[in-house]
Amino acid sequence: MLRRRKGSEPKPPPISPPHRDGSDDDEEKKREKEAARREKRAKNWTCVDSCCWFVGCICSIWWFLLFMYNAMPASFPQYVTEAITGPLPDPPGVKLLKEGLTANHPVVFVPGIVTGGLELWEGHQCADGLFRKRLWGGTFGEVYKRPLCWVEHMSLDNETGLDPSGVRIRPVSGLVAADYFAPGYFVWAVLIANLARIGYEEKNMYMAAYDWRISFQNTEVRDQTLSRIKSNIELMVATSGGRKVVVIPHSMGVLYFLHFMKWVEAPAPMGGGGGSDWCAKHIKAVMNIGGPFLGVPKIVSGLFSAEAKDIAVARAIAPGVLDMDVFGFQTLQHVMRMTRTWDSTMSMIPKGGDTIWGGLDWSPEEGYECIAKKMKNNEIVEQNGKGSLDNTKHVHYGRIISFGKDVADAKSSDIERMDFRGAVRGNNLVNTTNCDVWTEYHDMGMESIKAVADYKAYTAGSLLDLLYFVAPKMMKRGSAHFSLPNAPDMEIFSMYGVGIPTERAYVYKLSSASECYIPFQIDTSADGGNDCNCLKGGVFNVDGDETVPILSAGFMAAKGWRGKTRFNPSGIGTYIREYNHAPPATLLEGRGTQSGAHVDIMGNFALIEDIIRVAAGATGVDLGGDQVYSDIFKWSERINLQL
């Protein structure tokens, strides 16, 4: 045998890799390409994609919940609500029908500034396809689709206060004009439904719709609205066996109907020619809901800086967003330009001057405590504003606008003021050619703007001068009426909510950027803290219905019209009916049946019951006379008005 040397063993043959055909190579390349594609897609994922997915998920969930809600038995939501809160009370219409009440006096509704629908009858090219579609009320879909076109059509001519060339927007007619403001958001619908329970129908209910943007007298000049109201009331009285109508105005509709009662008595052609006894012959009662008889401070901030408490809070949360040119729409500038053409807003400017609203050192509401009330349904509370005043800081409510918290708090003798009235007006703002939205502030110039701030504090007496200075075209077109007609058998009701913080005065500051922006802003950093809980986010609050302070809603019925006065020469009976605000106990109750909020009160069961009883024939005495929870009588006595 042959011997092999050590270390010289033969090596095994190399193992060859398994044979791969071309199909395996193709599969590997495909996997590599797919991985690269996924990696590239992940890198290209943007915020827009995330937003689209988020919106898609929200919409899908919403539509699923909506489908489930509509698919479930009609009694199921009520069953769940009753399981949580107990059995619901009968609606007022059902309750009063069981008592034997039936339809009696015809009813006239007069909507307010928010509640009346407006539709397009003629427009520019950008409004194609919108003939007789609602531009106000309804879904507001066109606001989102074409916002600049919407603003253009909702604005009036700033010289005449009437339609711009080529545009005709008119009020929607019938009960549908204001039963719902938007889908699911009732206004008059609940009251109408309850009246129907005792036998009312469209032949003895009438919605006195009007274009709430234009001045009260111009509704007659352009649309003959006042004449239509007169003829419809006369027809309703004639066809109901001579029974007088019960008129139910809401919000600005209260002021509009006051104007109507003066107009209808005046001789033609300027008036309706009805004579001094027309109201006595045709009207049983006027039941005013949330009436801003003496105006609202909220309208001042709206005209002055196109904002109020809610807008100021939004601006504080997201600084600059409302002033940015987003999609070519500078929100507040467009809002200001549009609303300053609406002459009707002048009817809600605070009336009565310092005599009513207070001066630099006093106000009727002096001593009011801003303590938020925590209430549940059916809970009875003590009169609002009562309690210990030892720790209450003196609030200068009479200073409706103050430039700086130090000015709002200071003694009047310590405030150095420079009169703005003699300031030189002129367009000396820089870079105004870059401004997409032109407002009247651009015609003032920096010297005038600074002069407005240097006046420091504005009371109701100086507010008119301020508005004439900053909005001369709008203020050139206004007027108002306060006196009641000669109708001693008629009754006037002031019905409003109490117990909700309501805007009364503001702390302002100059805007840091004043080239293309509104130069004045509510100073949201101004806060009263523990010393004054009435001041929150630059806004002083007082008791009211969230929009109208008690002073405006209740003073005329408490004192101005009480008994025979120069504003009530025939001694018409006046009654105050206040409704303490109670928020809904659960979300299932919707907006609640005991709400005192300015619009939600239209679904308040106690208010609806009062209205139905009067429509069925009751008087103010039958209702129990005044129903008061606030200090309106005490505050009214502090007002030294010659009556």
Side-chain angles (χ1 to χ4, degrees), residues 322-358:
L322 288 173
D323 294 310
M324 289 171 56
D325 189 0
V326 181
F327 304 119
F329 189 61
Q330 292 173 302
T331 311
L332 294 184
Q333 290 91 320
H334 279 289
V335 168
M336 172 173 283
R337 189 183 66 172
M338 177 175 66
T339 56
R340 282 192 178 180
T341 66
W342 296 349
D343 287 353
S344 60
T345 57
M346 286 184 289
S347 67
M348 294 193 290
I349 294 173
K351 306 173 183 69
D354 295 1
T355 302
I356 297 291
W357 294 93

Side-chain angles (χ1 to χ4, degrees), residues 11 82 100 119 130 208-209 213 278 323 340 365 386 395 444:
K11 295 180 180 179
E82 291 183 359
E119 61 187 15
L130 298 181
R213 299 172 304 156
W278 189 92
D323 294 310
R340 282 192 178 180
E365 304 100 325
K386 305 280 188 180
V395 178
M444 289 177 57

